[in-house]
Amino acid sequence: MKIFQSLAFKLFILNFILVLGVSIIFSALIIQWQTKQFLRISTENAIKTSDLIKRATHHSMLRNRREDIYQIINMLGKQPGIKVIRIYNKRGEITFSTIPDEVGKVIPMESEACNVCHKNGKINVPAEASQLTRIFHSDEEYKILGAINPIRNEESCYTADCHAHKKEQTILGVLDVMISLKDMHKNIERLSEIQYMSGLVIFFVISFFVLVFIWKFVNVPLKKLTYGTTEIMNGNLDFKLDFKSKDEIGLLAESFNKMTEKLKQAHEELTNWAKLLEQKVNEKTAELQRAHAYMVQIEKMASLGKLAATVAHELNNPLEGVLTYAKLLKRRLQNGEISEAEKNEILNELSIIIDETSRCGNIVKNLLLFSKQKVGEFKDEDICQVIKRSVALISHHLQMNNIKLELDIPENPVFVFCDAQQIEQMLLAMEINSIEAMPEGGTLRIELNEIDSDKIQIKVTDTGIGIPEDILPHIFEPFFTTKKEGKGTGLGLAVAYGIAERHNGSIKVESKVNQGTTFTITLPKKLNISYDAQI
C-alpha cells in the first residue's frame, strides 16, 4: 500500500522505535535504581535493628541475666519482617536463637554467617557495617538479608565481677539478625508494574502527538506538493501552492510558485518565438524543420547529461561515506552484544551519517556558486573538527588504496567564521584527488597552521603521480578533467576553488611529476562583510 511507502509513515515508524526503546531503557534504569535504593534501606534497617538489639541487651549482658536477654530477643524477633535472631559464641555454636531447635548447633566456619569474618583460618572483622551483611535464598524461595554484628569484649565486660573475660579476647560472640526481603520484592514488583505502565502510557501519548505532528506538518504539505507537481506536469502552469508557514516546507512552496511563474513566462516566450519563427521559416522545407528539431533535442540531452554527471559526481563522495558507515554499523549490530565504548562509537558514526546525508541536500546548492546565488550558513566553526570529519569519510579509501595518513593539526580548537559543510566539501575534493593520484599507495599529509591571528593555512600533500606543467593552469576550470570519459566531470576542484573564493580565501597548487602535489588553502578567520556579501 502507498501509505507504507510514504515518508510520513517511515518517520512515524522511526520515532515509534526510538521512543519505545528510550521508554524501555529509562524504565529499566529507574527500576534498577529503585531496587538498589530498597536494598540499601533494607541493609541500613537490618544494621540498625542489630544495633538496637545489642543496646537493649547490653545491660543484661553485663549483669549476666540470660533470661532477660532471651526475653528481649524473643520479643524483638516477633516483629514483622524479622526471620530469625541468633547469637553465636566464638566457636560457632548457636547459644541462642528465636528458633529453639537451633540452640546448641555448631555452624561451620565456611557458612555464609561465618565466612564474612573467618577467611583462610584467620579472623578479620570488616570495619564497615555494610560489609557484615549478606543475602541468600531461603527454603521458601525468597531472599533473606543477614546482618552480622560482633559482640566485642569491652572494658566494662572484662572488668565485670560476674562473668569477666580475658582482656586479650576481642570478640565474645556474634549477633546474627536475619530479615525477610519478601515484602521488599513485592514492593519492587509493584513499582516495576507501575513504572512500565507509566512508560507505556507516556510512549503512546508521545507517539500520538508525533503522529499528529507528522501528519499535519509533513504528510499534508507533501501531498499538496505532489498534487502541484502533477498539475504542472499536466500543463496547468497557473497552479499555485497555498502555504502560510515560514519553515522549509513554506520556502519550498514559495520556490515552487516562483518556478511555475518562470515556467509560464518561458512557455509564453517560447510560444511567441515559435510563432515568429514560423512566420520566418514558412519557406523552409520539412527536412530542415526535422533537422532543426533533431539538433535542438541533441543539445538538450547533452546539457542534461552534463548536469546529471556533475550532480552525480558531487553527491557520490558523501553518499559513499554514508554507505560505508551504514555497512560497518550493520556488521557491528549483527555481532550481538554491544559494549558501552562501541555504543558511543556507533553514535558518533551515526552522527557522521546524519551530517553527510544533510550535506547531500546542500550539495545541489553548491552548484549555485557559479551563478552567485545564496547558499549555506556562516558561523564560527572549529576547523580541526571539520578536517577530522573529512578524514573520517575517506578512511575506507585510504585502507583500500594502502595509503598512510599523516594528520598534523593543533590539539586546541581553531575557530574560523565559515560554512562548515562547504569547507568539508572542499577538503574532500582535495583528498579524493590526492587518493586517485596514488593508485599504488603512498602518503597523504594534511597540515593545519595559523599564519597569524587573522588567517589559517591548510596543506594537503600527496606522494602521487603529480600534475604536468601544461595541465596545472587548467585544473580549477569547470568541467576540465584528465580522467577517462565517464570517470570524472572536472567540477570537484572547480567547486573547491569557488568555495575558497566565497570565503575570501585562496587555493594554490604545487606539483612535480612522479613526486607529488601540494594544495595550499588560505582562509581568513573572520569575514568583515555582510552575509549577503559573503555569498
Side-chain angles (χ1 to χ4, degrees):
M1 296 177 64
K2 290 185 178 181
I3 188 172
F4 297 113
Q5 299 176 354
S6 65
L7 177 61
F9 178 79
K10 294 176 181 177
L11 288 174
F12 175 74
I13 290 299
L14 177 61
N15 174 79
F16 185 92
I17 295 173
L18 289 176
V19 175
L20 179 61
V22 171
S23 299
I24 293 174
I25 293 173
F26 182 78
S27 298
L29 291 176
I30 290 295
I31 292 170
Q32 184 180 13
W33 179 81
Q34 290 174 339
T35 301
K36 289 181 179 179
Q37 295 303 310
F38 272 116
L39 184 59
R40 180 182 62 80
I41 293 172
S42 298
T43 302
E44 291 176 356
N45 288 338
I47 295 172
K48 291 178 180 178
T49 301
S50 179
D51 288 336
L52 176 63
I53 294 172
K54 279 184 63 176
R55 288 194 296 269
T57 59
H58 184 266
H59 183 74
S60 298
M61 284 184 178
L62 291 178
R63 297 293 182 268
N64 200 22
R65 298 174 183 173
R66 295 179 178 270
E67 187 64 27
D68 292 345
I69 296 172
Y70 297 157
Q71 288 295 330
I72 293 172
I73 294 177
N74 275 320
M75 179 184 66
L76 294 175
K78 294 177 181 179
Q79 297 299 313
I82 296 180
K83 182 69 177 177
V84 62
I85 301 174
R86 296 172 182 158
I87 297 178
Y88 304 90
N89 60 20
K90 63 182 180 180
R91 295 182 301 276
E93 179 183 358
I94 301 175
T95 59
F96 176 77
S97 173
T98 53
I99 302 177
D101 294 340
E102 294 181 344
V103 177
K105 292 182 179 180
V106 177
I107 302 300
M109 294 302 174
E110 297 79 17
S111 65
E112 82 281 348
C114 299
N115 62 16
V116 175
C117 301
H118 294 267
K119 293 182 180 179
N120 301 323
K122 298 181 180 180
I123 301 177
N124 183 18
V125 181
E128 296 182 7
S130 60
Q131 296 178 331
L132 294 171
T133 61
R134 81 278 187 196
I135 296 176
F136 57 94
H137 287 275
S138 69
D139 297 336
E140 299 176 8
E141 297 183 354
Y142 60 85
K143 292 182 179 180
I144 299 293
L145 173 63
I148 300 296
N149 199 334
I151 302 174
R152 301 182 184 275
N153 188 14
E154 301 174 355
E155 182 180 0
S156 58
C157 189
Y158 61 71
T159 58
D161 296 332
C162 59
H163 61 293
H165 300 278
K166 293 181 179 180
K167 183 177 181 181
E168 294 76 16
Q169 186 177 354
T170 58
I171 304 296
L172 302 179
V174 172
L175 176 64
D176 188 8
V177 179
M178 300 184 188
I179 297 178
S180 171
L181 298 180
K182 185 176 182 180
D183 292 336
M184 185 195 79
H185 285 291
K186 287 183 178 179
N187 291 332
I188 291 174
E189 292 175 357
R190 193 179 305 113
L191 286 174
S192 298
E193 293 175 358
I194 295 174
Q195 182 62 42
Y196 280 120
M197 288 300 297
S198 301
L200 193 61
V201 170
I202 294 173
F203 163 72
F204 280 113
V205 170
I206 293 176
S207 297
F208 172 78
F209 281 106
V210 169
L211 176 61
V212 173
F213 180 86
I214 292 176
W215 183 267
K216 182 176 180 181
F217 294 102
V218 178
N219 190 61
V220 173
L222 286 180
K223 281 187 175 181
K224 291 183 179 180
L225 185 59
T226 302
Y227 177 76
T229 56
T230 304
E231 288 293 310
I232 297 299
M233 184 180 62
N234 293 332
N236 183 11
L237 298 179
D238 293 322
F239 182 84
K240 300 290 184 183
L241 289 175
D242 184 18
F243 281 113
K244 304 296 184 182
S245 62
K246 300 295 184 181
D247 55 13
E248 290 82 357
I249 297 295
L251 295 175
L252 181 61
E254 184 180 352
S255 300
F256 180 90
N257 291 335
K258 290 181 179 180
M259 180 192 69
T260 56
E261 291 178 1
K262 292 183 178 181
L263 283 175
K264 184 178 180 181
Q265 293 175 2
H267 182 267
E268 292 174 353
E269 291 176 2
L270 288 174
T271 301
N272 294 333
W273 275 103
K275 291 179 180 180
L276 180 61
L277 288 174
E278 185 179 2
Q279 293 174 0
K280 292 184 177 180
V281 298
N282 283 334
E283 298 178 358
K284 296 290 184 179
T285 63
E287 183 178 355
L288 289 176
Q289 290 178 350
R290 289 194 299 269
H292 179 267
Y294 181 72
M295 293 302 296
V296 171
Q297 182 66 19
I298 289 177
E299 184 178 356
K300 289 182 178 179
M301 293 302 294
S303 299
L304 180 61
K306 183 177 290 185
L307 178 60
T310 299
V311 175
H313 174 77
E314 293 301 319
L315 289 177
N316 182 61
N317 292 337
L319 287 179
E320 189 170 359
V322 170
L323 178 62
T324 299
Y325 278 104
K327 288 182 177 179
L328 291 174
L329 290 176
K330 180 180 178 182
R331 189 179 305 163
R332 289 181 181 176
L333 293 175
Q334 288 176 341
N335 289 335
E337 294 292 333
I338 300 176
S339 66
E340 189 66 24
E342 290 176 330
K343 179 181 177 182
N344 292 332
E345 186 177 356
I346 288 175
L347 290 175
N348 290 334
E349 292 175 352
L350 286 174
S351 297
I352 293 176
I353 290 177
I354 292 172
D355 292 341
E356 289 307 303
T357 304
S358 174
R359 191 164 69 88
C360 286
N362 291 328
I363 283 178
V364 176
K365 295 181 182 178
N366 295 336
L367 298 177
L368 297 176
L369 288 169
F370 296 106
S371 60
K372 301 185 184 299
Q373 298 293 319
K374 292 184 179 180
V375 292
E377 178 183 357
F378 279 71
K379 59 182 178 180
D380 285 328
E381 298 281 357
D382 182 6
I383 201 70
C384 298
Q385 295 301 319
V386 177
I387 294 175
K388 289 179 180 179
R389 286 200 300 269
S390 70
V391 169
L393 292 172
I394 64 166
S395 59
H396 184 64
H397 293 282
L398 297 175
Q399 295 176 2
M400 293 286 292
N401 291 276
N402 194 27
I403 295 174
K404 178 183 177 182
L405 175 67
E406 293 181 357
L407 192 61
D408 184 7
I409 61 177
E411 295 181 358
N412 297 325
V414 178
F415 290 99
V416 176
F417 188 73
C418 65
D419 182 343
Q421 290 187 343
Q422 294 287 312
I423 298 299
E424 182 179 343
Q425 182 181 346
M426 176 177 64
L427 291 171
L428 279 173
M430 304 292 177
E431 293 161 358
I432 293 297
N433 192 77
S434 296
I435 290 173
E436 292 175 347
M438 295 183 287
E440 303 299 328
T443 301
L444 174 62
R445 177 177 176 82
I446 301 175
E447 180 182 353
L448 171 63
N449 294 305
E450 296 184 73
I451 300 176
D452 49 37
S453 60
D454 299 322
K455 293 182 180 180
I456 61 106
Q457 191 176 80
I458 304 172
K459 289 188 177 182
V460 180
T461 305
D462 64 68
T463 58
I465 59 177
I467 304 172
E469 291 185 3
D470 58 331
I471 294 177
L472 203 60
H474 305 286
I475 61 172
F476 294 115
E477 295 177 3
F479 305 111
F480 178 83
T481 178
T482 59
K483 300 175 184 177
K484 295 181 180 180
E485 185 175 353
K487 298 297 184 179
T489 63
L491 192 58
L493 293 179
V495 169
Y497 190 85
I499 291 172
E501 284 193 334
R502 179 182 175 223
H503 288 76
N504 285 356
S506 63
I507 298 180
K508 295 182 179 179
V509 59
E510 297 177 5
S511 182
K512 291 185 179 180
V513 177
N514 297 326
Q515 293 187 20
T517 303
T518 298
F519 289 95
T520 302
I521 306 164
T522 304
L523 297 174
K525 291 185 178 180
K526 296 293 182 181
L527 296 180
N528 298 321
I529 53 176
S530 65
Y531 183 78
D532 289 338
Q534 295 166 15
I535 308 304

